Amino acid sequence: MAAPPSGKVVYEQEGVFIHSSCGKNDDQDNLIAGILRVIEKENEVIVDWRPLDETLDTSNILYAGKDSSSVVEWTQTPKEKCSRGADRPSSYEAEWDMVTTVSFKKKPHSNGDATTHANRESKWSFLFSLTDLKSIKQNKEGMGWSYLVFCLKDDVKLPALHFHHGDSKSLIKCLEKHVALNESPHDERVLLVKTQKSLSQSFENLFDEPSYGLLQKWKKDPYVVTMGKFSKVTNYIVGTLRSSDQSNQRRPPSEMADFFNDTIPGLKINQQEEPGFEVITRIDLGKQPEVSRREPVSAEEWAKNMDSEGRILDVDYIKRLIFKGGLCHTLRKEAWKFLLGYFPWNSTKEERANLQKRKTDEYFRMKLQWKSVSEEQEKRNSRLRDYRSLIEKDVNRTDRTNKFYEGEDNPGLILLHDILMTYCMYDFDLGYVQGMSDLLSPVLYVMENEVDAFWCFVSYMDQMHQNFEEQMQGMKTQLIQLSHLLRLLDSGFCSYLESQDSGYLYFCFRWLLIRFKREFSFQDILRLWEVMWTELPCQNFHLLLCCAILESEKQQIMDKHYGFNEILKHINELSMKIDVEYILCKAEAISMQMMNCKELPQTVSEILGIENSSVTPDSDTGEDESGAELSCPTSLYQSISTPVIAANGTRDGAQQVAETQSLTPA
């Protein structure tokens, strides 16, 4: 039997038949047994079926590629040759007889003056790339052997494949890891291929491809591209997004809107038809107030705010201290458990110890679930196998320059892997998606304990869950909300971004997806996250951090007349160069600006969770305000009588106290 194409076989099934009922001889009306494989190659996924016949002439294998006409042609056999087809009972599905009307022949090739023809019928072997797949038709329930019919984008239907041993559903599940399949609204048996790729796919290297392929991957999976290095992407993407005609340097707003709506369905951000037109009436927010930050909360301050049983006395006060200065590193291991919701704020020390015992038992029960899966079992569990493969790949490249994770056979890496695998047992529907290791790494670094790190990570993922769901609802919502906030803050800057095809703020995608993890240094991320976890001074404070960064870069972007490519490159190159204390000050000042505004649009008040009698309803809704009550008025900050430091003053210089040798699993 001919060998399958080279690559990694991710699905293989024998007992997959073609029911042939057309041929020159009666003995060709038979069942052709074959083997079906799905094969991952470097840049594509191949579906390959071939007979088990040992005498197969491999020269007749057909490849239905994007430009298959240059290799083979698909020819229709005259219907009169199929004398048997009309005699089939009417109860039979059309797909049973479909192969009676199609045969495949090699296209003649010329070599100098000589022309050769390969007119022999093939043995029905075929293979095609998933990028060429248009739809899959399934049989009706209760119609005997299950079968599938693949229809390609050039409307060629391949012979029906009958699964005599069952298991056609496992093939569908395998294909869904590489393409999104949706039930047709017109026929429930037909699965249509969507252009959006599944989020569970591993991140690929996108930067060694021509611009067309890169753009298509960006459209199919923006997670993949934005998690990579945008500076490399821009070398290719601008030539694809912009017209090659140098006289037309801008794409029409409607065209860019179509592009990003295809990329993130449901993303609705106003695109101005003219740079000078503003959707929201200009509102004077007044001058940004001067804001300063204090020293990190010390162990002494934390202890003073606890009673004899270990109960926090004034939760609001301690949160305000953390918001204004963060925590000294020695406190993080304890305080983060409260901030993330693992420990209740009103719990006693004894109650927390009992909670940890229960959570330890629960954790190791879940860990045992995947630890006890044998190799044979895992061969039949493709989802668990895929989760493990992606986790192992990501763990080996997560924060490897940090002493906690550097080197080979590092216990920190082992715990990172085990916690992520156990999370797949905790939430098997979501499983593992790339980017989650970025969220876990700082938590494990601080906790130095497998169980505590897991439950803190669970709490963090409760906040971040929608960012990683396949429908991207969390990302859609945040990008739209960020657009509203930035337009209120500086409508002129929004207009400029839109004039450069950048109004969708897609360059903020990575910021939002993993909460700035790759934009700040590791120590700065510890500070930034603990401040955000206080949920002060308003909800969605992370969006105001985005506004603060963009406003800080506005002058350079506009003064130097940056275009689409330059904006993307400039924002990407900010990574590891942003002053966390300065940005925290600026974001807090923006929040105070907006909360003090007398005519705050209702949409903005809802985004920030502000309830104010002077809030103005949006012109497009005409509804009354319904925002949540403001959790912490700005006046409360005045009650913190502690030393302060300027935004550009000395940062917390706490050294890493956790070395890999001190890591002790629970």
Side-chain angles (χ1 to χ4, degrees):
M1 186 175 67
S6 61
K8 178 184 177 183
V9 177
V10 294
Y11 172 90
E12 185 173 271
Q13 178 69 38
E14 294 186 7
V16 180
F17 289 74
I18 286 179
H19 293 192
S20 170
S21 59
C22 176
K24 297 176 182 177
N25 305 314
D26 289 343
D27 62 1
Q28 287 184 310
D29 184 8
N30 57 14
L31 307 182
I32 305 174
I35 184 166
L36 182 66
R37 296 182 177 93
V38 178
I39 302 166
E40 288 183 353
K41 300 185 75 175
E42 287 184 3
N43 298 315
E44 60 184 341
V45 178
I46 301 295
V47 177
D48 173 74
W49 183 90
R50 59 191 62 218
L52 293 173
D53 184 357
E54 294 291 342
T55 63
L56 174 66
D57 181 357
T58 59
S59 66
N60 282 332
I61 294 175
L62 304 180
Y63 186 93
K66 289 184 178 179
D67 190 19
S68 59
S69 61
S70 64
V71 180
V72 298
E73 63 179 359
W74 303 79
T75 59
Q76 298 296 312
T77 301
K79 290 185 179 179
E80 56 265 29
K81 288 188 180 180
C82 308
S83 56
R84 295 177 169 270
D87 297 328
R88 290 286 181 192
S90 59
S91 62
Y92 274 61
E93 283 290 326
E95 285 77 14
W96 182 277
D97 294 323
M98 187 275 293
V99 296
T100 69
T101 64
V102 180
S103 68
F104 312 113
K105 293 190 297 184
K106 280 280 187 176
K107 186 173 182 178
H109 294 271
S110 61
N111 183 11
D113 295 331
T115 302
T116 59
H117 297 270
N119 290 326
R120 288 188 301 144
E121 282 190 306
S122 78
K123 299 283 187 174
W124 307 108
S125 299
F126 61 81
L127 55 89
F128 62 89
S129 170
L130 276 188
T131 58
D132 298 310
L133 182 62
K134 179 180 179 181
S135 64
I136 304 172
K137 188 169 185 177
Q138 307 171 93
N139 63 305
K140 288 182 179 178
E141 293 290 337
M143 290 296 292
W145 287 312
S146 62
Y147 66 80
L148 299 174
V149 178
F150 296 105
C151 180
L152 306 183
K153 289 180 180 177
D154 52 4
D155 291 326
V156 169
K157 285 187 178 180
L158 298 176
L161 298 179
H162 296 257
F163 292 73
H164 288 199
H165 299 165
D167 211 27
S168 64
K169 292 188 183 301
S170 66
L171 173 62
I172 297 296
K173 289 180 180 178
C174 175
L175 297 181
E176 284 179 329
K177 293 182 176 65
H178 304 280
V179 292
L181 298 173
N182 278 353
E183 187 178 288
S184 168
H186 308 296
D187 187 343
E188 63 182 13
R189 294 179 301 162
V190 175
L191 299 175
L192 301 176
V193 177
K194 285 179 60 181
T195 57
Q196 182 78 30
K197 288 170 72 175
S198 170
L199 288 185
S200 62
Q201 283 193 275
S202 63
F203 281 32
E204 301 172 84
N205 183 351
L206 304 175
F207 307 117
D208 297 324
E209 300 186 24
S211 58
Y212 176 80
L214 177 65
L215 175 62
Q216 296 308 309
K217 288 194 175 185
W218 198 92
K219 290 175 70 175
K220 288 179 181 180
D221 200 339
Y223 282 71
V224 171
V225 178
T226 52
M227 290 292 286
K229 293 183 179 178
F230 255 142
S231 57
K232 292 183 180 178
V233 179
T234 54
N235 293 331
Y236 301 118
I237 201 169
V238 69
T240 306
L241 294 182
R242 294 188 183 278
S243 170
S244 58
D245 181 2
Q246 295 302 312
S247 64
N248 179 18
Q249 291 299 315
R250 268 193 73 212
R251 291 176 70 90
S254 59
E255 192 173 339
M256 289 302 295
D258 290 342
F259 170 77
F260 283 104
N261 275 329
D262 287 344
T263 304
I264 309 178
L267 180 60
K268 302 292 185 183
I269 297 178
N270 290 319
Q271 289 292 302
Q272 303 174 16
E273 292 299 324
E274 298 178 14
F277 177 76
E278 296 178 2
V279 177
I280 297 177
T281 304
R282 188 184 297 277
I283 295 175
D284 183 12
L285 293 176
K287 186 179 179 181
Q288 281 186 12
E290 291 290 328
V291 174
S292 57
R293 292 183 56 74
R294 53 155 281 155
E295 295 287 347
V297 178
S298 66
E300 184 182 2
E301 287 175 305
W302 179 265
K304 283 182 178 178
N305 202 45
M306 256 185 197
D307 66 15
S308 58
E309 294 184 323
R311 197 180 284 108
I312 303 293
L313 296 173
D314 191 336
V315 176
D316 290 338
Y317 175 72
I318 205 71
K319 280 186 176 182
R320 292 197 299 274
L321 291 182
I322 296 169
F323 174 76
K324 291 297 291 184
L327 294 157
C328 67
H329 189 74
T330 54
L331 270 180
R332 284 180 172 137
K333 187 180 295 188
E334 181 178 4
W336 277 25
K337 297 183 182 82
F338 291 94
L339 289 169
L340 284 167
Y342 175 34
F343 284 173
W345 284 98
N346 62 349
S347 60
T348 64
K349 189 174 182 179
E350 183 181 357
E351 289 169 343
R352 295 194 290 272
N354 291 332
L355 174 66
Q356 282 181 301
K357 288 180 182 177
R358 294 196 307 272
K359 290 297 186 181
T360 298
D361 291 341
E362 188 177 348
Y363 173 78
F364 283 107
R365 279 197 301 271
M366 288 186 289
K367 183 174 181 178
L368 185 62
Q369 291 174 3
W370 65 267
K371 279 280 193 180
S372 60
V373 173
S374 68
E375 289 185 13
E376 286 299 315
Q377 284 178 297
E378 192 164 313
K379 287 179 181 178
R380 297 185 292 273
N381 191 332
S382 59
R383 288 185 69 187
L384 181 62
R385 198 166 61 241
D386 290 344
Y387 288 153
R388 185 194 297 273
S389 175
L390 187 53
I391 288 170
E392 289 173 354
K393 181 180 178 182
D394 282 359
V395 162
N396 284 326
R397 58 189 183 189
T398 299
D399 291 324
R400 296 306 301 277
T401 58
N402 188 302
K403 289 184 178 180
F404 195 81
Y405 299 110
E406 71 180 6
E408 299 301 321
D409 301 321
N410 187 304
L413 294 179
I414 295 170
L415 291 190
L416 200 64
H417 169 274
D418 288 1
I419 292 171
L420 291 171
M421 283 296 297
T422 306
Y423 186 81
C424 291
M425 298 295 103
Y426 176 84
D427 188 347
F428 203 79
D429 287 340
L430 180 63
Y432 178 79
V433 180
Q434 188 157 14
M436 288 166 57
S437 62
D438 280 284
L439 299 184
L440 172 60
S441 171
V443 175
L444 177 58
Y445 168 83
V446 166
M447 293 298 145
E448 301 178 278
N449 177 284
E450 182 177 5
V451 175
D452 290 343
F454 173 81
W455 289 112
C456 287
F457 177 65
V458 165
S459 297
Y460 199 10
M461 281 302 300
D462 287 345
Q463 302 174 29
M464 304 292 289
H465 201 282
Q466 283 195 320
N467 282 15
F468 296 96
E469 292 170 1
E470 189 166 354
Q471 299 304 313
M472 293 192 277
Q473 188 55 53
M475 298 305 300
K476 292 180 205 172
T477 301
Q478 290 172 89
L479 284 170
I480 293 169
Q481 290 175 335
L482 177 56
S483 176
H484 282 298
L485 295 173
L486 191 61
R487 183 170 297 282
L488 175 64
L489 184 65
D490 196 326
S491 59
F493 184 39
C494 275
S495 297
Y496 178 83
L497 291 176
E498 288 170 1
S499 73
Q500 302 303 321
D501 298 334
S502 301
Y504 278 89
L505 308 176
Y506 46 84
F507 41 76
C508 300
F509 201 97
R510 187 175 68 186
W511 298 358
L512 300 172
L513 178 67
I514 51 174
R515 286 296 192 270
F516 309 99
K517 170 63 167 54
R518 299 193 185 179
E519 317 313 316
F520 293 89
S521 70
F522 196 87
Q523 290 299 321
D524 284 352
I525 274 297
L526 306 184
R527 170 76 70 245
L528 189 72
W529 283 5
E530 64 200 13
V531 169
M532 288 193 293
W533 292 338
T534 64
E535 300 179 335
L536 296 178
C538 54
Q539 68 185 29
N540 287 315
F541 183 66
H542 67 287
L543 298 180
L544 297 183
L545 289 166
C546 293
C547 289
I549 297 171
L550 291 174
E551 191 179 59
S552 299
E553 302 304 317
K554 174 189 72 172
Q555 204 67 37
Q556 182 171 342
I557 290 171
M558 295 182 71
D559 287 353
K560 294 188 177 181
H561 306 290
Y562 282 170
F564 174 90
N565 189 42
E566 293 81 12
I567 293 172
L568 195 60
K569 186 173 185 291
H570 178 72
I571 295 298
N572 181 65
E573 290 176 349
L574 293 176
S575 178
M576 302 299 159
K577 299 176 184 176
I578 307 172
D579 186 318
V580 68
E581 297 292 345
Y582 171 78
I583 289 301
L584 283 170
C585 282
K586 192 167 185 64
E588 184 184 352
I590 292 172
S591 73
M592 295 170 69
Q593 247 187 319
M594 292 188 176
M595 286 188 283
N596 292 332
C597 179
K598 302 294 184 182
E599 300 175 330
L600 198 65
Q602 181 175 323
T603 301
V604 174
S605 71
E606 290 173 351
I607 293 169
L608 300 181
I610 300 170
E611 184 175 353
N612 191 320
S613 59
S614 62
V615 167
T616 17
D618 293 335
S619 57
D620 58 342
T621 62
E623 299 173 354
D624 295 331
E625 86 274 7
S626 57
E629 183 178 354
L630 179 63
S631 51
C632 185
T634 55
S635 60
L636 289 181
Y637 300 134
Q638 299 169 3
S639 64
I640 304 174
S641 54
T642 52
V644 297
I645 57 173
N648 58 354
T650 305
R651 298 192 201 176
D652 178 26
Q655 299 296 314
Q656 296 177 4
V657 297
E659 300 295 333
T660 56
Q661 291 80 2
S662 64
L663 191 62
T664 53

